[in-house]
Amino acid sequence: MVNKKGYNRITMILAFIAIYFVWGTTYLANLFGLESMEPFVLSSLRYLVAGLLLLTWVIGKRLIWPDLYGIKVLSVSGVLMLVGGSGLVVFAEQYINSGYAAVVVASEPFWFVLLDKKHWKFYFNNRNILVGLFSGFSGIVLFSYFSPESGIAGTADKLVGTTILLVSAVLWVVGTLYANKRMRTGTSNITNSAIQLLAAGTFSALIAFCLGEWNRFTVHDISLKAWSGLIFLIFMGSMVAYMAFTWLVTIQPPAVVSTHTYVNPMVAVFIGWLIADERIVPHQIYAFVLVLGGVLLTQIERKISLNPNQIKEIT
């Protein structure tokens, strides 16, 4: 079923499933990769391989390339989102645990609301959006609070980790809005994603070099578990979920798309329980329901209270 804007509603649902659930499984894949690879080495390999695979597809299909301005926009946004956002999250987990990290990363939709001035009228006049954001964030806080492994190593580590994660959340939002406002139409999402991934992979490799991570990297020392984590991150994290995200922000308000940050930690903990025997307590299930309720509120009847001019403005 294709709507008035020309995109298939089933495709949109599958894209949301990808950013909600597939991205959630990358938490465990990151841990697998970090077993014998350092953060920015892992990120650079993930992004470069995914970008090169997409580039091969673009060349083979002879897809249209953006102009130099478009390449600049995509490169900048790719570095901001994938290195400043995802890369810093992995780096920050050296200082704080994943439960606490989930709380900070879940602030991303609020940064969208605060920084996405273009859609302020829509956000602040839609009760479902506001209540949904508050409900989702409250749920993720409670979920992390009740986590059996929610302790922080120390005040100094907590401060460093929190600061890095807040910076990463802001950079992800800034990168998304930067591309959303400046990117011209006419090129495919595959082409755009390939450029972003290659830019992020190159920048991650440079950071890894500056930090001395490449000096400590030896292919023979990489475990099978780490390789499996990297392969999953390349194909599912970057080539499926990330492309779904970059497409969704072109057809949905960014703050709505960013609700994936509420579900991802839940999925991560569930996968950890299923595969790595991590504990889940009953109170976390109640918090999960609160999170899902918040997500649904941001999606259901989004345009019910808007007049035609407002609808045109946000789409």
Side-chain angles (χ1 to χ4, degrees):
M1 180 174 61
V2 178
N3 68 7
K4 296 179 181 179
K5 299 183 189 304
Y7 60 82
N8 190 298
R9 188 171 296 276
I10 299 299
T11 302
M12 185 184 70
I13 293 173
L14 291 174
F16 269 109
I17 290 174
I19 66 170
Y20 279 172
F21 299 103
V22 174
W23 244 346
T25 61
T26 58
Y27 279 78
L28 186 60
N30 275 328
L31 290 178
F32 285 2
L34 288 171
E35 182 178 87
S36 49
M37 283 183 272
E38 296 190 61
F40 287 105
V41 167
L42 177 63
S43 294
S44 65
L45 293 175
R46 168 188 178 180
Y47 300 143
L48 284 174
V49 174
L52 288 172
L53 289 172
L54 291 181
L55 180 63
T56 302
W57 178 270
V58 170
I59 295 174
K61 293 294 183 178
R62 297 182 179 179
L63 300 179
I64 298 175
W65 283 85
D67 56 20
L68 290 178
Y69 176 80
I71 292 175
K72 171 197 168 185
V73 170
L74 289 166
S75 297
V76 171
S77 62
V79 169
L80 288 171
M81 296 167 62
L82 295 171
V83 182
S86 299
L88 285 183
V89 169
V90 178
F91 188 81
E93 289 183 359
Q94 298 175 104
Y95 300 95
I96 61 178
N97 62 43
S98 60
Y100 188 85
V103 175
V104 183
V105 173
S107 68
E108 182 183 299
F110 288 95
W111 292 112
F112 269 112
V113 171
L114 294 175
L115 298 177
D116 187 14
K117 187 176 180 179
K118 176 183 177 182
H119 294 135
W120 274 359
K121 184 180 293 186
F122 169 59
Y123 293 146
F124 291 108
N125 284 284
N126 191 306
R127 184 176 300 176
N128 285 344
I129 293 288
L130 295 177
V131 174
L133 290 172
F134 179 78
S135 174
F137 186 68
S138 299
I140 196 67
V141 170
L142 291 173
F143 189 92
S144 181
Y145 175 79
F146 290 121
S147 173
E149 300 176 355
S150 59
I152 304 299
T155 302
D157 286 346
K158 179 179 179 180
L159 179 61
V160 172
T162 301
T163 302
I164 294 173
L165 283 170
L166 284 174
V167 172
S168 76
V170 172
L171 289 176
W172 178 274
V173 172
V174 171
T176 303
L177 295 177
Y178 178 85
N180 187 257
K181 293 176 181 178
R182 293 173 175 80
M183 191 58 207
R184 300 164 182 169
T185 58
T187 54
S188 73
N189 186 49
I190 296 177
T191 304
N192 296 343
S193 297
I195 295 171
Q196 288 180 315
L197 286 164
L198 288 172
T202 302
F203 200 79
S204 295
L206 178 62
I207 294 176
F209 175 78
C210 293
L211 295 177
E213 291 186 3
W214 288 115
N215 295 332
R216 299 183 290 271
F217 176 76
T218 305
V219 174
H220 300 294
D221 293 336
I222 307 302
S223 66
L224 179 61
K225 188 176 181 181
W227 282 123
S228 66
L230 175 61
I231 291 172
F232 185 89
L233 289 170
I234 290 170
F235 288 97
M236 300 305 294
S238 295
M239 298 185 68
V240 174
Y242 180 67
M243 287 181 61
F245 176 86
T246 56
W247 177 69
L248 282 172
V249 293
T250 66
I251 64 168
Q252 296 283 301
V256 174
V257 180
S258 70
T259 53
H260 71 86
T261 56
Y262 293 154
V263 181
N264 292 164
M266 312 296 138
V267 175
V269 171
F270 175 75
I271 294 297
W273 167 79
L274 187 66
I275 297 178
D277 295 324
E278 296 178 355
R279 290 178 56 204
I280 299 179
V281 299
H283 288 84
Q284 287 178 290
I285 298 176
Y286 306 146
F288 187 34
V289 173
L290 186 62
V291 171
L292 290 181
V295 171
L296 288 174
L297 278 173
T298 63
Q299 302 289 354
I300 296 175
E301 304 291 342
R302 292 192 308 107
K303 299 179 181 178
I304 193 170
S305 62
L306 300 179
N307 61 49
N309 291 332
Q310 289 175 306
I311 293 175
K312 184 177 180 180
E313 178 183 348
I314 67 169
T315 55

